Amino acid sequence: MDDSKPARWAPPEGEALVAHNLKVLRKTARLSQEDMAERMRRLGYKLHQTQIAKIENGTRSVSFDEVIGLAKALSVPAANFMLEAVAGPDDPHWELQEAGFAIQKAEQEHQVAQDLADAAKARLDAAEARYDEIAARLGVEEEAEPIVFYPAPNSPGDPLRGPVEPSAE
């Protein structure tokens, strides 16, 4: 009688985990190893396609800095990249994982947009405060006749701007 239990899949750890995640995420992003190496070069790392292949198959060790770069190049959180095995396309949870990645990306984009909106609002408030300060200094009252602003020279609203003629090339 065989008392051995069936082998359970154990998630990889350390460099094997990074190699697994790199390969799955790179393929999911439809990037070649050369594309990945190019992304890393743009981030300041000197990696060639063959080095990406060696990292993925476990024959080349990877430094901590390179792991951070790989996560950045793949637009995934570095902590997840180093600590959790991602599901491959043949895993039943792959679709759910991809939806989770889409949520993370959208949250990041939303935060960037919110930061830009906050900065624009601060600039608007500062411009309005400066306008009010200048108006007060000049003695312009709010209920007086509104100040007319003329369009910038050569702008679309400039009455002196002639019709735009197509260039003859």
Side-chain angles (χ1 to χ4, degrees), residues 13-47:
E13 293 184 359
E15 289 185 354
L17 174 65
V18 170
H20 166 81
N21 286 346
L22 172 58
K23 189 172 191 173
V24 171
L25 292 171
R26 177 185 61 76
K27 286 182 175 184
T28 301
R30 295 184 176 98
L31 297 172
S32 68
Q33 291 174 342
E34 183 59 45
D35 295 335
M36 193 67 205
E38 177 59 31
R39 284 183 175 207
M40 290 296 285
R41 284 191 289 272
R42 282 191 225 136
L43 289 171
Y45 298 89
K46 295 181 179 170
L47 287 178

Side-chain angles (χ1 to χ4, degrees), residues 67-159:
V67 173
I68 299 296
L70 291 166
K72 283 182 184 177
L74 291 165
S75 300
V76 296
N80 294 10
F81 188 71
M82 293 184 286
L83 299 175
E84 299 174 15
V86 294
D90 53 341
D91 186 308
H93 297 289
W94 182 77
E95 189 176 9
L96 184 61
Q97 170 186 279
E98 291 304 301
F101 287 153
I103 289 171
Q104 287 177 337
K105 184 176 181 181
E107 285 173 341
Q108 290 171 346
E109 291 171 354
H110 179 264
Q111 187 58 52
V112 168
Q114 187 63 51
D115 292 345
L116 289 171
D118 292 346
K121 176 67 170 130
R123 288 191 305 274
L124 174 62
D125 291 346
E128 288 175 342
R130 178 159 160 59
Y131 180 90
D132 292 344
E133 174 190 315
I134 293 169
R137 184 170 31 97
L138 295 175
V140 176
E141 295 181 22
E142 271 192 49
E143 295 183 18
E145 186 177 317
I147 298 174
V148 177
F149 293 99
Y150 295 97
N154 214 16
S155 69
D158 183 1

